[in-house]
Amino acid sequence: EGAYRETHVTEIMRPVAKGSAASTSRTATMASRPLGASRARRRSPGSSITQVSCRSLRRGVVEDLDAIVNIERTCFGASAWKEEDLAAQFGHSFARVWVWEADECKHGVSGAVGFMLSWQTEDQIQLMRLGVEPGWARRGIGTELLKHLVSREERRSTITLEVRQSNESARAFYEKFGFDTLALRSGYYNDGEDAIVMQYEIRGSPL
């Protein structure tokens, strides 16, 4: 759970050149092909995952930027967003930043150890980034962040994301949560790798 690389998704608010940190195009017009008719069976999000011992979730603030940048670089490596791109998210009305903060009294450290960035459109949520420090992996932090995103939503019906086809750990994580594979976008990434488009239906979810 500590490095779900390449989870940035399609932006439909504003067009950006392909290959930039937030390179995207309109979901409605994206050139993609189906990946079969089978869909993941809906299951309770986070089932069979060991949860963290205490809840330390809160909205991210600018003061969290250093920690977020560190997590971003650790989890996404060469594909990490630039610091200025992450900083800009705090000024966008459509962007939502949430962090999981370690409890110094219980864990001996303080500060954000996981974060989630989503963009809100008129009818869907686009999951842009989800990262957890490797030392805090396998504790259910990523699952808790996603569950919080779903539980707060009252108007939008879906969450959409993109992930590298080769990133099997990330794909397995999202499938376990309840995301379905929708399509493949050929040659989406700068190195020519394909992107898998995944979607979670909020309405009717067990949360």
Side-chain angles (χ1 to χ4, degrees):
E1 229 169 88
Y4 298 128
R5 292 178 172 80
E6 302 298 351
T7 61
H8 59 282
V9 302
T10 307
E11 177 185 2
I12 64 176
M13 263 74 74
R14 50 186 174 82
V16 188
K18 180 180 178 181
S20 64
S23 64
T24 51
S25 61
R26 286 190 174 273
T27 301
T29 60
M30 76 177 180
S32 60
R33 57 185 175 82
L35 286 183
S38 62
R39 292 170 62 83
R41 183 173 59 183
R42 183 70 66 210
R43 56 179 61 80
S44 176
S47 59
S48 301
I49 293 179
T50 302
Q51 300 300 315
V52 289
S53 59
C54 65
R55 186 172 179 82
S56 304
L57 185 95
R58 62 172 173 79
R59 280 292 292 269
V61 294
V62 175
E63 287 74 17
D64 295 313
L65 182 60
D66 287 346
I68 290 174
V69 169
N70 180 65
I71 297 169
E72 173 76 9
R73 291 172 177 171
T74 300
C75 292
F76 296 92
S79 299
W81 284 17
K82 296 179 180 178
E83 181 174 352
E84 54 265 35
D85 292 329
L86 291 168
Q89 304 308 309
F90 293 98
H92 294 323
S93 60
F94 54 79
R96 301 289 185 273
V97 180
W98 294 89
V99 301
W100 190 281
E101 185 175 38
D103 187 328
E104 185 172 13
C105 295
K106 294 185 178 182
H107 304 295
V109 296
S110 60
V113 296
F115 84 101
M116 175 177 63
L117 168 64
S118 64
W119 286 354
Q120 321 289 312
T121 71
E122 183 175 347
D123 60 355
Q124 79 173 198
I125 298 172
Q126 300 177 63
L127 181 60
M128 304 303 294
R129 300 313 246 185
L130 175 62
V132 178
E133 286 190 2
W136 290 79
R138 311 297 178 187
R139 303 194 191 191
I141 294 175
T143 299
E144 288 298 306
L145 286 166
L146 277 178
K147 288 170 69 173
H148 181 73
L149 183 65
V150 172
S151 66
R152 287 179 55 86
E153 189 51 55
E154 297 179 353
R155 180 163 59 91
R156 298 168 185 86
S157 60
T158 61
I159 302 174
T160 303
L161 61 85
E162 290 173 357
V163 60
R164 284 182 178 269
Q165 187 175 29
S166 64
N167 194 346
E168 296 181 0
S169 61
R171 292 170 61 185
F173 167 74
Y174 290 117
E175 287 173 358
K176 180 173 288 187
F177 190 88
F179 279 81
D180 295 321
T181 295
L182 292 185
L184 180 146
R185 180 180 285 181
S186 299
Y188 176 75
Y189 295 101
N190 289 337
D191 59 5
E193 184 171 353
D194 299 337
I196 301 296
V197 182
M198 304 185 76
Q199 182 172 282
Y200 179 86
E201 296 180 4
I202 297 174
R203 293 173 184 172
S205 75
L207 284 186

